[in-house]
Every structure is written in C-alpha cells, then in structure tokens.
Amino acid sequence: MASQIFEALANPIRCDLVERLRESDATVGELAKWYKADVQAVCEHLKVLEQAGLVSRSGEAHRSPVHLNAEVFDLMTEWIERFRRQVERRYQDPEAVLAPMKDTATDDSTNDILVRKVDLTVRARPSKGSGDRTRDAEGS
C-alpha cells in the first residue's frame, strides 16, 4: 500500500491536489476551475488518489465533494518511522554493517597490488604559467 501512496504523490499535480484539499473539501468542478483544467483531467488524477486511499468522494457526480483521508497520512508516518528505526538500528552496530563487506573482500595480496598501483599514479597540480599536466611517479 505504501508504494501505491508514494507513487500517487510522485506526480506534482496530484501532490498539489492533496495540498489544496488539505485546506477544505472541494468538488471536481471546483478543482477543475482552480487548476484551469477540464473536469476529465482532474477526475483521472482523483481516481489515482482514490485508489491509493488518499481521497474519497461520496458519489460519482462532479458535484460531490472530494475529501482528504487524513488517516492515510498517519499510516504513512508509521511506515516511515518503522523504516527509520530499522535503518537506525542497523547502523548502531558498525560490525554488522562491515561484516558483509569483509566476506566479499579480496585477499590481502590483491589489495596490496591495488594499493601500490594507485600509489604509482600521482596527479601533479600544474603551477601557474606552466604547461605541466598529469604525470606519474615514474616520470613518464
């Protein structure tokens, strides 16, 4: 459900509709006037918001008010908070984060070769007025 909600809110027009409905309920006709859009375009956006559970209408007519379902935002907040706590716990134990990296690391001799190769290439900062470019430690 969370992905459907975030997907619905990813569209800037739908996000703006939610912002508008935060102030007060409005009919489809009122929303269409507000956005200077046709009723059909507004209905399509409202349909996506309805499927995500963000808004509801009491009827199909364009005169029925569109209502913002605030409870859905509570559910989103709970989901985000659970996610935040899980990530926070994960990073409280650095060994748990580093362990998978150690398992996939190459052996020390390969790492030594890579370090030496990196050390051989030195980027010299050109001095003002000189035409020096990049050169390596071997002088080539």
Side-chain angles (χ1 to χ4, degrees):
M1 179 179 183
S3 63
Q4 192 175 16
I5 294 168
F6 288 117
E7 188 176 326
L9 291 174
N11 179 288
I13 293 170
R14 289 192 290 267
C15 197
D16 198 52
L17 280 166
V18 168
E19 284 283 331
R20 167 65 178 84
L21 291 169
R22 184 179 57 149
E23 313 257 332
S24 66
D25 293 354
T27 65
V28 175
E30 290 170 338
L31 292 170
K33 281 182 186 175
W34 179 267
Y35 290 100
K36 297 180 180 137
D38 61 41
V39 170
Q40 184 62 31
V42 172
C43 282
E44 288 297 316
H45 285 293
L46 289 174
K47 182 179 174 183
V48 174
L49 292 171
E50 279 182 287
Q51 289 170 343
L54 290 162
V55 299
S56 59
R57 289 189 270 181
S58 56
E60 284 298 314
H62 298 310
R63 293 186 190 125
S64 63
V66 180
H67 172 73
L68 186 63
N69 297 329
E71 314 83 53
V72 175
F73 293 97
D74 291 336
L75 293 172
M76 289 171 55
T77 302
E78 289 172 21
W79 183 87
I80 290 169
E81 186 59 27
R82 277 194 319 267
F83 185 81
R84 186 194 61 76
R85 283 192 308 263
Q86 182 181 9
V87 171
E88 202 172 72
R89 276 193 308 268
R90 185 173 150 221
Y91 288 107
Q92 284 177 348
D93 181 13
E95 280 302 313
V97 175
L98 296 175
M101 292 179 207
K102 290 178 183 175
D103 292 342
T104 59
T106 57
D107 64 62
D108 289 338
S109 62
T110 305
N111 286 336
D112 289 343
I113 292 168
L114 291 173
V115 169
R116 276 188 252 126
K117 184 171 182 170
V118 169
D119 287 343
L120 289 176
T121 305
V122 177
R123 299 243 178 227
R125 179 178 288 161
S127 58
K128 290 185 180 180
S130 75
D132 289 347
R133 300 268 183 215
T134 304
R135 63 178 177 221
D136 63 37
E138 296 172 354
S140 52

